[in-house]
Amino acid sequence: MPTPANHLTATDAAALMREGRLTASDLAEACLARIAEREPERKAWAHVSPNQVRAQAAACDANPSSGLLHGIPIGVKDVLDTRDMPTQMGSPIYAGHQPPADAAIVSLLRAAGAVILGKTVTAEFAGMAPAPTTNPLALHRTPGGSSSGSAAAVADLMVPISLGTQTGGSVLRPASYCGVVGFKPSYGRINRAGTKFAAESLDTLGWMARSVQDIALVDAALTGNDAPLSASTATPVSTLRIGVCQTYLWDAKALPETRQALQTAVEALEAAGVTVTPVALPERFGHLSVVRETLNDYERARGLASEWTHHRDRISPQLSASIERGWRIPHADLLAAQRYAEDRRRDFDDLMDDWDVLLVPCVNGEAPEGLHYAGDPSLQALWTLLHTPALGLPTHRGPNGMPVSIQLVTARHRDAELLKAGDAIWRTVLQFSPRP
Amino acid sequence: MPTPANHLTATDAAALMREGRLTASDLAEACLARIAEREPERKAWAHVSPNQVRAQAAACDANPSSGLLHGIPIGVKDVLDTRDMPTQMGSPIYAGHQPPADAAIVSLLRAAGAVILGKTVTAEFAGMAPAPTTNPLALHRTPGGSSSGSAAAVADLMVPISLGTQTGGSVLRPASYCGVVGFKPSYGRINRAGTKFAAESLDTLGWMARSVQDIALVDAALTGNDAPLSASTATPVSTLRIGVCQTYLWDAKALPETRQALQTAVEALEAAGVTVTPVALPERFGHLSVVRETLNDYERARGLASEWTHHRDRISPQLSASIERGWRIPHADLLAAQRYAEDRRRDFDDLMDDWDVLLVPCVNGEAPEGLHYAGDPSLQALWTLLHTPALGLPTHRGPNGMPVSIQLVTARHRDAELLKAGDAIWRTVLQFSPRP
């Protein structure tokens, strides 16, 4: 029995379509059937219209050469505008809201041939309030957030690729909790027109998939210049200069499974002949978390000023608390935070002259139980503030069998190198310690 | 006969209102009367609803302590969302478009008590296509762009303050052409939620007024931390470390009136006991213009991807040419441009450790004749790319009696210092060489 089409990675599905062995309509139907079957318990989607999906897929099948993502279904986090689907932002304030244009990223994906499968559930305005989505690997655990629907949908084989946004840890954390690959590009790599801002100096568009090749395929479609990865183009892992950095949050945040995930990765790389060198960030990096909080709260209050003025009764207590903190922050603190962030970004870029990749913890540990709390963003948020590219790879399993990712980062604008290195590192680590 | 209320600066009007000698409704009526009289030839407004304005003013009069901008009318460039007024972006694609929320800056101004007088004419998506607005000082000349309506409305005494956006020179140039004060804050100072992006790594919200005090008043209302300027709080000009920098565009761009404007300012400052030191930017600053063009074109193509796909026939030839250039730029060029810009921003911040303010040319010269071309943005665009604060002061008149501004810039995030220094410098230069 052949693999059901919704189990395929985008890269494999694209190859089958190029060979005429799979149609966009077949793939769309397989995804729609999976959603119909599993969505009632998963709650990953804010909007799916099967007829719209079928029309897009049929258009692809009628025009068999529309781009790198020809016929590939993609889920779009519901804080990104779509001109033909409501964009509700996880907020009752925007119930039924229909924007007039697609977000830039959605337009670019459509131009590359993608089928927009629907809108995925987001926490309210990409914040910290609980969303209904469950973790497909354990329904009583959080899938993480705020891109909860995007992570759950990819993990549950409903769609091969989904878009997210990260202001703290909203792509990398849910990707880890659900066991998929998560990617946050460098700040400024992907145009954000048509994104509902949470905190604009931090908000970064990212995406999730079930392989690094798929992550690179989307990056290639969006940037047009980097060839997708394949086994033959992969960087030999032994040529990489890899550092490992616990970060200053290690003692406070890293649970045993996270320590083990990092340790296992180091052992796998050393077994493959790589010297992995411990790197300590200088003391002055010790304020990244508090500075990110300042920017986050200050900017969220202003970004949602209109909603706060006119619809305060429909804003959750969690978001209200963040906004109220934001209004209390003096502007001088914003300036100090902006200066600190700019200085550390430069410092980190300089530091990475000596390394290709830094291996860092991705999450505190496994997805917590319950849906009331989407988990701690601290370990992802360091890199959001630094504007670096960050790749999360689910290489490990914790004591409850839930996935735990490692995180790879590098200097700003070195995204293409990071993806190549990440592909090689993932292959190496998985070979060393196959997932159960 | 008392001064008609629409002739008042915002600072003076606010003082009269505090003293009970002027009502918000009186001021609004004076502005509306001026608009009714002059708009047919000025074409500064995309939307004004007198009843909406009267209702806002009446609400202010019923609540006499709503903030620093209590009762002050403000014009809003029509690329900024307003929840109760159409936001048409100078494009037929958005005819009648009504956003669901106010832009962050509009919300903040309303919270400070401002009366939103209406939406000012913008060039199509804040680009280079011609807009119908005329220069109120000479109707056959351009008011500049893309914030053409905002500049004309303030110059023509229709409103004391207006908002603009600057991606190249769209605030400082029209302000100079129309003879008003223009201010572009540091990138990141003012939240951009609800702004239609032109090129998001450059787009900066700014504003125009008829005095530096009014500029500072708006800044204080938006940031909450800087006391508005007054004659008694002004920095003594003799304490300022002022450099003068012609920039590498001087030979190619600066017309005689621009050279004279700078020369006169230097003479005035020297007469006041200031040593103004020539500063040459290092050679590596010589690519600012071409790098800004790369970012501008690359980002505009992506930011308008949805409109380009679905409404190409309603995009002007000028904007289409920019978008087409943008699609042809390889992603590697974007990365190189981003890196160059980040390096030069840091370089310039470092250089400004030795100076409080740099005096630089603002425009090529007087407003050109005709409405088909809104003028050359090069001399403003250097500072947009560098993310610095920039203040344009109309201190000079050219051979046709049209205004020519000088421009003051400083390091990023030193906006409050720049406004204080600018106030002192303007007073000094105007005293030395009173405007005709």
Side-chain angles (χ1 to χ4, degrees), chain B residues 63-76:
Chain B
N63 169 24
S65 61
S66 56
L68 274 180
L69 296 172
H70 174 78
I72 301 298
I74 295 186
V76 175

Side-chain angles (χ1 to χ4, degrees), chain A residues 83 94 97 100-105 107-108 110-111 187-194 196-200 222-226 298-300 302-307 309-311 327 330-332 334-335 338-339 342-344 346-347 349 412-415 417, chain B residues 83 94 97 100-105 107-108 110-111 187-194 196-200 222-226 298-300 302-307 309-311 327 330-332 334-335 338-339 342-344 346-347 349 412-415 417:
Chain A
R83 66 190 294 274
Y94 286 88
H97 171 62
D102 280 332
I105 190 172
S107 260
L108 292 168
R110 288 196 206 259
Y187 185 90
R189 187 171 179 85
I190 308 297
N191 195 288
R192 300 179 301 172
K196 180 71 174 175
F197 278 148
E200 63 154 317
L222 292 172
T223 61
N225 72 328
D226 303 308
Y298 189 98
E299 294 182 24
R300 267 186 210 263
R302 276 123 196 111
L304 293 169
S306 186
E307 290 83 355
T309 303
H310 298 288
H311 305 290
W327 288 125
H331 189 256
L334 176 77
L335 294 188
Q338 289 174 328
R339 286 182 169 131
E342 281 155 13
D343 288 346
R344 292 301 82 72
R346 171 59 60 112
D347 286 348
D349 285 353
R412 290 180 293 178
H413 310 310
R414 283 167 48 184
D415 302 59
E417 294 161 66
Chain B
R83 66 190 295 273
Y94 285 89
H97 171 62
D102 281 331
I105 191 172
S107 261
L108 291 168
R110 289 195 206 260
Y187 184 90
R189 187 171 179 86
I190 308 297
N191 195 288
R192 299 180 302 172
K196 180 69 173 175
F197 278 149
E200 63 155 314
L222 292 172
T223 62
N225 73 329
D226 303 308
Y298 188 98
E299 294 182 24
R300 266 185 210 264
R302 278 127 194 107
L304 292 170
S306 186
E307 290 83 356
T309 303
H310 299 288
H311 305 289
W327 288 124
H331 189 256
L334 176 77
L335 294 188
Q338 289 174 327
R339 286 180 169 133
E342 281 156 13
D343 289 346
R344 292 300 83 73
R346 171 59 61 111
D347 286 348
D349 286 352
R412 290 180 294 178
H413 309 312
R414 283 167 48 185
D415 302 60
E417 295 161 64

Side-chain angles (χ1 to χ4, degrees), chain B residues 87-168:
Chain B
T87 301
Q88 306 183 93
M89 311 186 201
S91 164
I93 300 168
Y94 285 89
H97 171 62
Q98 179 55 64
D102 281 331
I105 191 172
V106 172
S107 261
L108 291 168
L109 294 174
R110 289 195 206 260
V115 169
I116 303 303
L117 197 64
K119 304 302 286 285
T120 57
V121 169
T122 174
E124 179 194 25
F125 298 121
M128 293 292 286
T133 312
T134 57
N135 190 315
L137 306 181
L139 298 184
H140 65 294
R141 291 180 186 269
T142 179
S146 62
S147 311
S148 56
S150 285
V154 171
D156 208 39
L157 307 172
M158 291 167 159
V159 67
I161 291 166
S162 63
L163 303 183
T165 62
Q166 180 156 319
T167 308

Side-chain angles (χ1 to χ4, degrees), chain B residues 327-410:
Chain B
W327 288 124
R328 285 195 298 269
I329 296 171
H331 189 256
D333 290 10
L334 176 77
L335 294 188
Q338 289 174 327
R339 286 180 169 133
Y340 177 87
E342 281 156 13
D343 289 346
R344 292 300 83 73
R345 286 167 196 151
R346 171 59 61 111
D347 286 348
F348 186 73
D349 286 352
D350 290 347
L351 185 139
M352 289 307 293
D353 284 347
D354 295 333
W355 309 101
D356 293 312
V357 168
L358 214 56
L359 169 62
V360 299
C362 182
V363 285
N364 293 14
E366 292 179 319
E369 294 189 355
L371 300 182
H372 57 288
Y373 174 56
D376 182 342
S378 311
L379 285 162
Q380 309 95 60
L382 304 176
W383 314 101
T384 312
L385 180 70
L386 289 175
H387 287 179
T388 69
L391 181 68
L393 302 174
T395 53
H396 192 74
R397 294 273 169 169
N400 299 291
M402 297 295 291
V404 179
S405 287
I406 56 172
Q407 185 172 199
L408 304 174
V409 299
T410 191

Side-chain angles (χ1 to χ4, degrees), chain A residues 10-11 161-162 180-184 206-221 229 391-393 419:
Chain A
T11 303
I161 290 166
S162 63
V180 301
V181 181
F183 180 52
K184 180 193 82 66
W207 51 95
M208 308 181 203
R210 295 190 295 271
S211 79
V212 181
Q213 276 183 281
D214 279 11
I215 295 285
L217 182 70
V218 173
D219 189 65
L229 299 175
L391 180 68
L393 302 174
L419 293 180

